[in-house]
Amino acid sequence: MKKPDIIQQLGELRNKNLFREFRTISSSCSNVVKFKDKEYIMLASNNYFGLNTHPEVISAAKDALEKYGTGNVASRLIVNLDLHEKLEREIAKYKKCQSALVYSSGYATNLGIISSVVGKGDLILSDELNHASIIDGCRLSKADIIVYKHCNVNDLENKLYEFKTKYKKKIVVTDTIFSMDGDIAPLKDILNLKKKYSFTFMIDDAHATGIIDTNLKGIDIHMGTLSKALASQGGFVAGNKELIDFLRSTSRSFMFSTGLSPANTASALAALRIIKKEKSLRLRLLRNVSYLRNGLRKLGFNVGGEFQIIPLIIGDNKKIMQFQKMLENEGIFVTGIRPPTVQTARLRISVMATHTKEQLDKALESFEKVRRKLGLICVG
């Protein structure tokens, strides 16, 4: 069957309330942002510690810009900066691994790792709610892919047992904190399975870096990003020296991408130092998360998640976008997330350590006002 043309497909997206448009801000992405020439409380950012405006982070970026210039101008196998290696050493220390490698984006990191370490004739066992970059990396690898039920260790074990002898090489891969549901993978339970079954274990710490400690014995591949809590750009992988040496020579998304810019590299390095030094940042974040989540539940909302990502699931594409728009009218910047990003439409609320109690109270007041206008008794 012939695929519909672009005009027809755009029409279908609009009819299903799945058409995407930019919401452009004109300020730094802090706890308050400038949108449509007004100030809004930001509840949609991954800037969990608010470090993208931290004086030390900005100063580090400026210093790198003046010393190294604006860009890396080539693949790192052609032009490699001492600054890149400095960041990689610090990441390896932070993850308690032998070595690390920095990529130009988190998406490129997952593609590069998975498509390099497994291939045709191997098996990948992937959580059903893993990030799109993991899914695409699995497909690109040409390995056989088995999807197990979300965070379901029993289902994972059943599949490991079923394919115990069929494949010599198996890898289990999961997000740590899931980006749209905010829940946490049962890492210790999965590690226990390694006592009975042979497999490589890879985790995606994109939303967990700085939030929870995942430096557990038995995790073979640590993937993470520099663009969430570290408030910069890029991705990284940490593991043993042999893994990193192998990826440096085989990972196409690393080999054929321009290296991370000096300013991004330096800012990530500064942010990493801050989260290691200032333990209060995490405590402030968790306090704010608890306050907002408990407040939403008291208002009758059925919200999920365990840490800084709070999904408020409604399930109706049109209504979720109405909710988003009405919150905008209240001065609250939250994003409605729809398929295919998620299976069920929701508001994805994310909290920052830098939110004030007054800002969170204003947000709760606005959620309650919008709920009444939409006639929602209970959201779930």
Side-chain angles (χ1 to χ4, degrees):
M1 182 181 293
K2 185 179 179 182
K3 189 173 183 178
D5 64 25
I6 289 176
I7 302 301
Q8 183 180 342
Q9 290 181 76
L10 280 172
E12 291 173 357
L13 288 171
R14 288 188 173 92
N15 290 336
K16 295 176 182 177
N17 292 289
L18 295 176
F19 182 70
R20 267 78 169 168
E21 294 180 280
F22 290 123
R23 291 194 295 162
T24 304
I25 66 172
S26 55
S27 67
S28 65
C29 194
S30 188
N31 57 348
V32 174
V33 296
K34 194 88 172 283
F35 177 57
K36 296 180 178 178
D37 295 322
K38 297 179 182 178
E39 284 195 342
Y40 288 73
I41 297 171
M42 169 56 80
L43 288 174
S45 163
N46 295 326
N47 184 21
Y48 301 129
F49 294 138
L51 294 180
N52 75 326
T53 55
H54 194 288
E56 290 181 33
V57 176
I58 292 175
S59 177
K62 285 181 178 178
D63 289 345
L65 190 64
E66 290 179 357
K67 180 177 181 179
Y68 297 98
T70 57
N72 198 60
V73 304
S75 162
R76 284 184 57 199
L77 295 177
I78 298 173
V79 176
N80 187 54
L81 302 180
D82 54 358
L83 194 61
H84 291 135
E85 294 184 353
K86 192 172 184 180
L87 175 59
E88 287 166 347
R89 286 194 296 270
E90 290 302 313
I91 289 170
K93 287 179 188 177
Y94 180 68
K95 297 304 298 177
K96 296 181 180 179
C97 293
Q98 292 178 349
S99 193
L101 189 67
V102 170
Y103 286 68
S104 58
S105 74
Y107 192 95
T109 309
N110 270 331
L111 256 63
I113 298 169
I114 299 170
S115 63
S116 297
V117 300
V118 289
K120 192 172 183 180
D122 299 328
L123 178 66
I124 301 170
L125 297 110
S126 176
D127 188 288
E128 67 176 328
L129 294 188
N130 275 341
H131 190 266
S133 58
I134 293 177
I135 294 169
D136 290 351
C138 292
R139 291 170 177 167
L140 188 63
S141 75
K142 298 182 181 178
D144 292 339
I145 304 165
I146 298 292
V147 176
Y148 64 89
K149 294 177 184 176
H150 179 53
C151 289
N152 190 319
V153 178
N154 290 332
D155 187 51
L156 174 58
E157 180 167 16
N158 288 338
K159 289 174 168 55
L160 283 166
Y161 179 80
E162 181 181 354
F163 298 102
K164 186 175 182 179
T165 58
K166 185 176 178 181
Y167 297 89
K168 288 184 179 180
K169 192 172 186 180
K170 296 183 286 291
I171 182 171
V172 174
V173 58
T174 182
D175 280 7
T176 304
I177 295 178
F178 287 83
S179 62
M180 292 297 153
D181 289 81
D183 53 353
I184 305 172
L187 300 184
K188 291 182 180 179
D189 291 334
I190 295 175
L191 283 169
N192 284 335
L193 294 180
K194 292 189 76 175
K195 299 172 184 177
K196 299 169 64 176
Y197 307 95
S198 175
F199 61 86
T200 298
F201 189 22
M202 173 180 168
I203 61 171
D204 179 336
D205 265 351
H207 296 272
T209 300
I211 314 295
I212 59 175
D213 182 5
T214 60
N215 296 340
L216 305 175
K217 186 177 180 180
I219 296 175
D220 304 290
I221 304 173
H222 296 256
M223 178 272 172
T225 61
L226 308 174
S227 56
K228 276 72 174 178
L230 295 179
S232 181
Q233 186 172 331
F236 68 83
V237 56
N240 63 39
K241 184 178 183 300
E242 291 75 18
L243 170 70
I244 302 307
D245 286 347
F246 176 75
L247 290 173
R248 190 185 304 112
S249 296
T250 63
S251 178
R252 291 171 67 84
S253 59
F254 172 78
M255 296 169 68
F256 299 106
S257 291
T258 297
L260 200 62
S261 75
N264 284 136
T265 307
S267 61
L269 186 55
L272 182 58
R273 288 171 178 159
I274 290 167
I275 67 170
K276 288 166 70 176
K277 179 178 64 175
E278 297 183 17
K279 306 297 183 183
S280 62
L281 277 173
R282 180 178 180 275
L283 296 176
R284 281 158 51 196
L285 173 65
L286 297 183
R287 183 176 65 239
N288 283 347
V289 169
S290 178
Y291 187 81
L292 186 61
R293 179 180 282 110
N294 290 338
L296 288 167
R297 284 175 175 164
K298 286 177 183 178
L299 293 175
F301 290 105
N302 183 7
V303 292
E306 297 179 56
F307 279 87
Q308 74 280 14
I309 299 165
I310 305 175
L312 195 159
I313 298 174
I314 293 179
D316 182 287
N317 294 337
K318 184 176 181 179
K319 191 159 286 187
I320 207 72
M321 299 316 292
Q322 288 177 328
F323 211 131
Q324 173 187 295
K325 183 64 178 176
M326 292 170 76
L327 283 172
E328 278 182 19
N329 295 337
E330 295 293 321
I332 308 296
F333 196 104
V334 180
T335 304
I337 309 292
R338 296 155 286 167
T341 308
V342 291
Q343 296 174 351
T344 310
R346 69 199 59 194
L347 291 177
R348 180 191 183 273
I349 305 162
S350 56
V351 187
M352 297 170 62
T354 50
H355 281 129
T356 66
K357 182 177 180 296
E358 291 73 23
Q359 288 169 343
L360 298 178
D361 284 337
K362 164 63 177 170
L364 289 169
E365 179 185 322
S366 299
F367 273 93
E368 171 67 354
K369 187 182 293 186
V370 171
R371 187 187 70 163
R372 287 178 177 175
K373 287 181 179 179
L374 286 176
L376 298 171
I377 300 173
C378 185
V379 180

